[in-house]
Amino acid sequence: MRKGLFALAAVGLLATGSMAACGKDDKGSGSGSGSGTTATGKVGVILPDTKSSARWATADVKYLKEAFDAAGVQADIQNAQGDKTQFQTIADGMISSGVKVLMIVNLDSGTGKAVLDKAKAAGIATIDYDRLTLNGGADYYVSFDNVKVGELQGQGLVDCLTANKAVKPVVAELNGSPTDNNATLFKQGYDSVLKPKYDSGDFVKGPDQSVPDWDNAQAGTIFEQMLTSNKNIKGVLAANDGLGNAAISVLKKNKLNGQVPVTGQDATTQGLQNILVGDQCMTVYKAIKQEADAASKLAIDIAKGQKPTTATGKVTDPESKKDVASVLLTPKSITKENVKDVVADGFVTKEELCTAEFAKACTDAGIS
Ligand code: BGC
Protein backbone atom coordinates (compact mmCIF):
# COMPACT_ATOMS: atom_id res chain seq x y z
CA MET A 1 0.00 0.00 0.00
CA ARG A 2 2.69 2.42 1.09
CA LYS A 3 4.95 1.31 -1.73
CA GLY A 4 2.10 1.91 -4.17
CA LEU A 5 1.80 5.48 -2.97
CA PHE A 6 5.46 6.19 -3.47
CA ALA A 7 5.37 4.66 -6.92
CA LEU A 8 2.41 6.84 -7.83
CA ALA A 9 4.11 9.96 -6.55
CA ALA A 10 7.28 9.11 -8.44
CA VAL A 11 5.40 8.62 -11.71
CA GLY A 12 3.67 11.95 -11.16
CA LEU A 13 7.01 13.68 -10.72
CA LEU A 14 8.50 12.09 -13.82
CA ALA A 15 5.52 12.93 -15.96
CA THR A 16 5.56 16.56 -14.88
CA GLY A 17 9.31 16.83 -15.20
CA SER A 18 9.40 15.62 -18.76
CA MET A 19 6.48 17.71 -19.89
CA ALA A 20 7.21 20.88 -17.94
CA ALA A 21 8.08 22.71 -21.15
CA CYS A 22 4.49 22.63 -22.35
CA GLY A 23 3.14 23.60 -18.89
CA LYS A 24 2.05 27.01 -20.16
CA ASP A 25 -0.54 25.61 -22.49
CA ASP A 26 -1.92 23.04 -20.10
CA LYS A 27 -5.60 23.19 -19.41
CA GLY A 28 -6.68 21.28 -16.34
CA SER A 29 -10.35 20.58 -15.88
CA GLY A 30 -10.31 22.38 -12.53
CA SER A 31 -12.98 20.02 -11.34
CA GLY A 32 -10.85 17.35 -9.75
CA SER A 33 -12.05 14.61 -12.08
CA GLY A 34 -8.51 13.74 -13.15
CA SER A 35 -7.96 12.12 -16.50
CA GLY A 36 -4.29 11.56 -15.65
CA THR A 37 -3.13 12.86 -19.01
CA THR A 38 -2.29 16.43 -18.07
CA ALA A 39 1.32 17.39 -17.55
CA THR A 40 0.62 19.44 -14.48
CA GLY A 41 0.05 17.89 -11.10
CA LYS A 42 -3.07 18.15 -9.00
CA VAL A 43 -3.43 20.32 -5.90
CA GLY A 44 -5.35 19.39 -2.76
CA VAL A 45 -6.65 22.09 -0.40
CA ILE A 46 -8.23 21.44 3.00
CA LEU A 47 -10.11 24.32 4.63
CA PRO A 48 -10.96 24.06 8.34
CA ASP A 49 -14.68 24.65 8.91
CA THR A 50 -17.58 26.86 7.91
CA LYS A 51 -18.59 28.20 11.31
CA SER A 52 -15.61 29.85 13.01
CA SER A 53 -15.67 32.55 10.36
CA ALA A 54 -17.77 33.20 7.28
CA ARG A 55 -14.57 33.58 5.26
CA TRP A 56 -13.93 29.85 4.83
CA ALA A 57 -17.28 29.27 3.13
CA THR A 58 -17.65 32.50 1.21
CA ALA A 59 -14.23 33.88 0.34
CA ASP A 60 -11.27 31.48 0.44
CA VAL A 61 -12.88 28.67 -1.51
CA LYS A 62 -14.10 31.06 -4.21
CA TYR A 63 -10.81 32.90 -4.72
CA LEU A 64 -8.71 29.71 -4.63
CA LYS A 65 -10.94 28.01 -7.18
CA GLU A 66 -10.82 31.04 -9.47
CA ALA A 67 -7.02 31.12 -9.30
CA PHE A 68 -6.57 27.40 -10.03
CA ASP A 69 -9.14 27.49 -12.82
CA ALA A 70 -7.44 30.50 -14.42
CA ALA A 71 -4.12 28.62 -14.37
CA GLY A 72 -5.68 25.45 -15.71
CA VAL A 73 -4.56 23.50 -12.65
CA GLN A 74 -6.80 20.81 -11.21
CA ALA A 75 -7.65 21.51 -7.60
CA ASP A 76 -9.60 19.43 -5.12
CA ILE A 77 -10.77 21.91 -2.47
CA GLN A 78 -12.53 20.41 0.53
CA ASN A 79 -13.67 21.59 3.94
CA ALA A 80 -13.17 19.49 7.10
CA GLN A 81 -16.26 21.02 8.80
CA GLY A 82 -14.38 21.44 12.07
CA ASP A 83 -13.83 17.69 12.40
CA LYS A 84 -10.24 16.58 12.95
CA THR A 85 -10.93 12.98 11.95
CA GLN A 86 -12.55 14.16 8.74
CA PHE A 87 -9.57 16.46 8.17
CA GLN A 88 -7.24 13.46 8.26
CA THR A 89 -9.54 11.33 6.11
CA ILE A 90 -9.68 14.05 3.44
CA ALA A 91 -5.89 14.34 3.56
CA ASP A 92 -5.44 10.58 3.18
CA GLY A 93 -7.74 10.62 0.17
CA MET A 94 -5.87 13.50 -1.46
CA ILE A 95 -2.48 11.89 -0.81
CA SER A 96 -3.50 8.57 -2.30
CA SER A 97 -5.13 10.31 -5.28
CA GLY A 98 -1.64 11.54 -6.13
CA VAL A 99 -1.80 15.30 -5.50
CA LYS A 100 1.48 17.03 -6.08
CA VAL A 101 0.82 19.82 -3.60
CA LEU A 102 -1.19 19.79 -0.39
CA MET A 103 -2.36 23.07 1.12
CA ILE A 104 -3.96 23.03 4.58
CA VAL A 105 -5.53 25.30 7.16
CA ASN A 106 -5.00 23.19 10.25
CA LEU A 107 -7.61 22.61 12.95
CA ASP A 108 -4.77 22.29 15.44
CA SER A 109 -1.04 21.85 15.08
CA GLY A 110 -1.02 18.20 16.20
CA THR A 111 -3.38 16.89 13.52
CA GLY A 112 -1.96 19.37 11.03
CA LYS A 113 1.55 18.01 11.59
CA ALA A 114 0.38 14.40 11.20
CA VAL A 115 -1.05 15.28 7.78
CA LEU A 116 2.02 17.27 6.70
CA ASP A 117 4.30 14.40 7.75
CA LYS A 118 2.30 11.90 5.67
CA ALA A 119 2.33 14.21 2.67
CA LYS A 120 6.06 14.75 2.91
CA ALA A 121 6.67 11.02 3.18
CA ALA A 122 4.78 10.65 -0.12
CA GLY A 123 6.92 13.32 -1.81
CA ILE A 124 4.16 15.94 -1.82
CA ALA A 125 4.96 19.64 -1.42
CA THR A 126 3.14 21.31 1.50
CA ILE A 127 1.75 24.77 2.12
CA ASP A 128 0.38 26.11 5.40
CA TYR A 129 -2.45 28.43 4.37
CA ASP A 130 -3.30 31.21 6.85
CA ARG A 131 -2.39 29.21 9.99
CA LEU A 132 1.16 28.06 10.71
CA THR A 133 1.29 24.43 11.83
CA LEU A 134 3.66 24.51 14.79
CA ASN A 135 6.55 22.10 14.36
CA GLY A 136 4.82 21.05 11.13
CA GLY A 137 7.69 21.80 8.75
CA ALA A 138 5.52 22.89 5.79
CA ASP A 139 7.52 23.96 2.74
CA TYR A 140 5.68 27.30 2.54
CA TYR A 141 3.48 29.53 4.65
CA VAL A 142 1.09 32.17 3.33
CA SER A 143 -0.79 34.46 5.68
CA PHE A 144 -1.17 38.02 6.89
CA ASP A 145 1.02 39.78 9.41
CA ASN A 146 -1.05 38.44 12.28
CA VAL A 147 0.63 40.41 15.05
CA LYS A 148 -0.23 43.52 13.02
CA VAL A 149 -3.87 42.31 12.85
CA GLY A 150 -3.91 42.29 16.66
CA GLU A 151 -2.25 45.71 16.89
CA LEU A 152 -4.95 47.17 14.63
CA GLN A 153 -7.62 45.61 16.87
CA GLY A 154 -5.99 47.00 20.02
CA GLN A 155 -5.58 50.46 18.49
CA GLY A 156 -9.13 50.37 17.12
CA LEU A 157 -10.51 49.71 20.58
CA VAL A 158 -8.37 52.48 22.09
CA ASP A 159 -9.66 54.90 19.45
CA CYS A 160 -13.31 53.98 20.06
CA LEU A 161 -12.96 54.20 23.83
CA THR A 162 -11.23 57.56 23.47
CA ALA A 163 -14.03 58.79 21.19
CA ASN A 164 -16.52 57.61 23.86
CA LYS A 165 -14.56 59.64 26.44
CA ALA A 166 -14.51 56.47 28.56
CA VAL A 167 -12.92 56.93 31.97
CA LYS A 168 -10.89 53.97 33.23
CA PRO A 169 -12.94 51.54 31.14
CA VAL A 170 -12.93 47.86 32.02
CA VAL A 171 -11.86 45.92 28.91
CA ALA A 172 -12.84 42.29 28.33
CA GLU A 173 -10.81 40.11 25.98
CA LEU A 174 -12.45 37.36 23.94
CA ASN A 175 -9.54 35.54 22.34
CA GLY A 176 -9.52 33.06 19.47
CA SER A 177 -8.95 29.33 19.76
CA PRO A 178 -6.04 28.32 22.00
CA THR A 179 -5.10 25.73 19.35
CA ASP A 180 -4.73 28.32 16.57
CA ASN A 181 -1.28 29.88 16.36
CA ASN A 182 -2.90 32.94 14.74
CA ALA A 183 -4.95 33.53 17.89
CA THR A 184 -1.70 33.64 19.86
CA LEU A 185 -0.29 36.20 17.41
CA PHE A 186 -3.45 38.34 17.40
CA LYS A 187 -3.34 38.43 21.22
CA GLN A 188 0.34 39.31 21.18
CA GLY A 189 -0.58 42.24 18.93
CA TYR A 190 -3.54 43.61 20.88
CA ASP A 191 -1.98 43.05 24.27
CA SER A 192 1.05 45.07 23.13
CA VAL A 193 -1.36 48.01 22.73
CA LEU A 194 -3.61 47.34 25.73
CA LYS A 195 -1.05 46.35 28.37
CA PRO A 196 0.55 49.81 28.56
CA LYS A 197 -2.98 51.21 29.05
CA TYR A 198 -3.66 48.74 31.87
CA ASP A 199 -0.25 49.49 33.38
CA SER A 200 -0.82 53.25 33.31
CA GLY A 201 -4.28 52.87 34.84
CA ASP A 202 -5.99 54.45 31.78
CA PHE A 203 -7.81 51.14 31.20
CA VAL A 204 -8.74 48.43 33.68
CA LYS A 205 -8.02 44.82 32.72
CA GLY A 206 -11.23 42.79 32.85
CA PRO A 207 -11.93 39.13 32.09
CA ASP A 208 -9.66 37.57 29.47
CA GLN A 209 -10.68 34.22 27.99
CA SER A 210 -10.04 32.06 24.92
CA VAL A 211 -12.89 30.62 22.88
CA PRO A 212 -12.31 26.93 22.03
CA ASP A 213 -12.29 26.36 18.23
CA TRP A 214 -13.46 29.95 17.74
CA ASP A 215 -16.95 28.58 18.47
CA ASN A 216 -19.32 31.54 18.17
CA ALA A 217 -22.04 29.97 20.35
CA GLN A 218 -19.56 29.29 23.15
CA ALA A 219 -18.31 32.85 22.77
CA GLY A 220 -21.82 34.06 23.59
CA THR A 221 -21.98 31.91 26.73
CA ILE A 222 -18.52 33.02 27.81
CA PHE A 223 -19.29 36.70 27.25
CA GLU A 224 -22.61 36.41 29.05
CA GLN A 225 -20.76 35.07 32.09
CA MET A 226 -18.18 37.84 31.79
CA LEU A 227 -20.86 40.51 31.74
CA THR A 228 -22.81 38.93 34.61
CA SER A 229 -19.76 38.88 36.84
CA ASN A 230 -18.55 42.26 35.64
CA LYS A 231 -21.43 44.60 34.76
CA ASN A 232 -18.99 47.41 34.23
CA ILE A 233 -17.36 46.09 31.05
CA LYS A 234 -16.93 49.12 28.78
CA GLY A 235 -14.97 47.67 25.87
CA VAL A 236 -14.60 44.25 24.23
CA LEU A 237 -11.55 43.07 22.34
CA ALA A 238 -13.11 40.28 20.29
CA ALA A 239 -10.62 38.48 18.05
CA ASN A 240 -12.90 38.12 15.01
CA ASP A 241 -16.28 39.25 13.72
CA GLY A 242 -18.00 36.01 14.77
CA LEU A 243 -16.87 36.37 18.39
CA GLY A 244 -17.66 40.09 18.20
CA ASN A 245 -21.19 39.38 17.01
CA ALA A 246 -21.68 36.91 19.85
CA ALA A 247 -20.71 39.65 22.32
CA ILE A 248 -22.94 42.18 20.53
CA SER A 249 -25.93 39.81 20.84
CA VAL A 250 -25.41 39.64 24.60
CA LEU A 251 -24.95 43.42 24.80
CA LYS A 252 -28.22 43.83 22.85
CA LYS A 253 -30.08 41.68 25.38
CA ASN A 254 -28.74 44.00 28.05
CA LYS A 255 -29.51 47.15 26.01
CA LEU A 256 -25.82 48.00 25.99
CA ASN A 257 -25.09 47.60 22.28
CA GLY A 258 -23.60 50.71 20.71
CA GLN A 259 -22.36 51.93 24.09
CA VAL A 260 -19.68 49.27 24.53
CA PRO A 261 -17.25 49.20 21.61
CA VAL A 262 -16.49 45.73 20.24
CA THR A 263 -13.71 44.83 17.79
CA GLY A 264 -13.57 42.13 15.13
CA GLN A 265 -11.73 40.74 12.15
CA ASP A 266 -12.45 39.40 8.64
CA ALA A 267 -14.73 42.17 7.33
CA THR A 268 -17.62 39.70 7.19
CA THR A 269 -20.91 41.05 5.88
CA GLN A 270 -22.36 40.76 9.38
CA GLY A 271 -19.35 42.49 10.93
CA LEU A 272 -19.54 45.36 8.44
CA GLN A 273 -23.28 45.72 9.06
CA ASN A 274 -22.63 45.81 12.81
CA ILE A 275 -20.12 48.59 12.16
CA LEU A 276 -22.53 50.54 9.95
CA VAL A 277 -25.20 50.65 12.67
CA GLY A 278 -22.67 51.48 15.39
CA ASP A 279 -22.76 48.18 17.32
CA GLN A 280 -19.20 47.26 16.35
CA CYS A 281 -16.24 49.59 16.59
CA MET A 282 -14.01 48.17 13.87
CA THR A 283 -12.96 45.11 11.95
CA VAL A 284 -9.75 44.08 10.24
CA TYR A 285 -9.95 43.58 6.51
CA LYS A 286 -7.62 40.93 5.21
CA ALA A 287 -7.81 40.91 1.41
CA ILE A 288 -8.39 37.19 1.07
CA LYS A 289 -8.12 37.38 -2.71
CA GLN A 290 -4.48 38.42 -2.25
CA GLU A 291 -3.90 35.58 0.20
CA ALA A 292 -5.56 32.99 -2.05
CA ASP A 293 -3.66 34.35 -5.07
CA ALA A 294 -0.31 34.18 -3.24
CA ALA A 295 -0.89 30.64 -1.98
CA SER A 296 -2.27 29.32 -5.25
CA LYS A 297 0.64 30.90 -7.14
CA LEU A 298 3.05 28.77 -5.09
CA ALA A 299 0.93 25.66 -5.61
CA ILE A 300 0.53 26.31 -9.34
CA ASP A 301 4.28 26.76 -9.84
CA ILE A 302 4.98 23.49 -8.04
CA ALA A 303 2.19 21.68 -9.89
CA LYS A 304 3.75 22.83 -13.15
CA GLY A 305 7.17 21.60 -12.11
CA GLN A 306 8.57 25.09 -11.58
CA LYS A 307 10.37 26.29 -8.48
CA PRO A 308 8.34 29.01 -6.75
CA THR A 309 10.12 32.35 -6.45
CA THR A 310 7.47 34.38 -4.67
CA ALA A 311 7.84 33.21 -1.04
CA THR A 312 10.60 35.69 -0.34
CA GLY A 313 9.87 36.22 3.35
CA LYS A 314 10.45 33.87 6.22
CA VAL A 315 8.72 33.06 9.46
CA THR A 316 10.46 31.21 12.25
CA ASP A 317 8.39 28.35 13.65
CA PRO A 318 8.45 29.10 17.40
CA GLU A 319 8.57 25.38 18.25
CA SER A 320 11.00 23.86 15.78
CA LYS A 321 12.91 27.18 15.45
CA LYS A 322 13.15 26.46 11.75
CA ASP A 323 12.47 29.10 9.10
CA VAL A 324 9.54 28.60 6.74
CA ALA A 325 9.60 30.41 3.36
CA SER A 326 6.65 32.76 3.61
CA VAL A 327 4.40 35.38 2.11
CA LEU A 328 2.89 37.71 4.73
CA LEU A 329 0.32 40.25 3.59
CA THR A 330 -0.76 43.52 5.17
CA PRO A 331 -4.10 43.82 7.00
CA LYS A 332 -6.19 47.00 7.07
CA SER A 333 -8.29 48.55 9.83
CA ILE A 334 -11.93 49.25 8.93
CA THR A 335 -14.28 51.63 10.76
CA LYS A 336 -17.54 53.25 9.69
CA GLU A 337 -15.49 55.82 7.75
CA ASN A 338 -13.92 53.33 5.35
CA VAL A 339 -16.36 50.41 5.14
CA LYS A 340 -16.78 51.65 1.57
CA ASP A 341 -13.19 50.61 0.79
CA VAL A 342 -14.13 46.95 1.35
CA VAL A 343 -16.97 47.32 -1.14
CA ALA A 344 -14.68 49.12 -3.60
CA ASP A 345 -12.20 46.24 -3.30
CA GLY A 346 -14.94 43.82 -4.39
CA PHE A 347 -14.79 41.73 -1.19
CA VAL A 348 -18.44 42.40 -0.45
CA THR A 349 -21.05 43.74 -2.85
CA LYS A 350 -23.32 46.66 -2.10
CA GLU A 351 -26.31 44.31 -2.61
CA GLU A 352 -25.07 41.89 0.07
CA LEU A 353 -24.21 44.64 2.54
CA CYS A 354 -26.91 47.22 2.00
CA THR A 355 -30.08 45.20 2.48
CA ALA A 356 -33.22 47.16 3.42
CA GLU A 357 -32.34 47.24 7.12
CA PHE A 358 -28.93 48.77 6.39
CA ALA A 359 -29.82 50.96 3.40
CA LYS A 360 -29.76 54.25 5.27
CA ALA A 361 -26.58 53.39 7.18
CA CYS A 362 -24.97 52.52 3.85
CA THR A 363 -25.95 55.84 2.32
CA ASP A 364 -24.66 57.67 5.40
CA ALA A 365 -21.36 55.80 5.07
CA GLY A 366 -21.03 56.91 1.44
CA ILE A 367 -21.73 53.49 -0.06
CA SER A 368 -23.63 54.22 -3.23
C1 BGC B 1 -8.01 33.29 10.77
C2 BGC B 1 -9.14 34.29 10.91
C3 BGC B 1 -10.43 33.56 11.30
C4 BGC B 1 -10.21 32.59 12.45
C5 BGC B 1 -11.42 31.72 12.70
C6 BGC B 1 -7.89 32.46 12.02
O1 BGC B 1 -6.86 31.56 11.93
O2 BGC B 1 -6.81 33.99 10.50
O3 BGC B 1 -9.31 35.00 9.71
O4 BGC B 1 -11.40 34.49 11.68
O5 BGC B 1 -9.11 31.75 12.20
O6 BGC B 1 -11.68 30.92 11.62
Side-chain angles (χ1 to χ4, degrees), residues 147-164:
V147 175
K148 180 79 191 168
V149 169
E151 287 168 7
L152 295 176
Q153 293 172 317
Q155 192 54 49
L157 189 63
V158 170
D159 293 348
C160 287
L161 286 168
T162 308
N164 276 6

Side-chain angles (χ1 to χ4, degrees), residues 52-53 55-56 130-131 180 182 186 214 240 266 286:
S52 66
S53 169
R55 64 171 287 182
W56 306 118
D130 199 68
R131 298 178 181 165
D180 180 353
N182 284 347
F186 302 147
W214 295 91
N240 79 357
D266 289 342
K286 302 191 294 190

Side-chain angles (χ1 to χ4, degrees), residues 10-46:
V11 168
L13 282 172
L14 278 178
T16 313
S18 61
M19 296 173 80
C22 47
K24 254 199 175 137
D25 298 316
D26 287 338
K27 285 272 172 288
S29 73
S31 65
S33 57
S35 66
T37 55
T38 51
T40 39
K42 263 196 307 187
V43 178
V45 181
I46 315 179

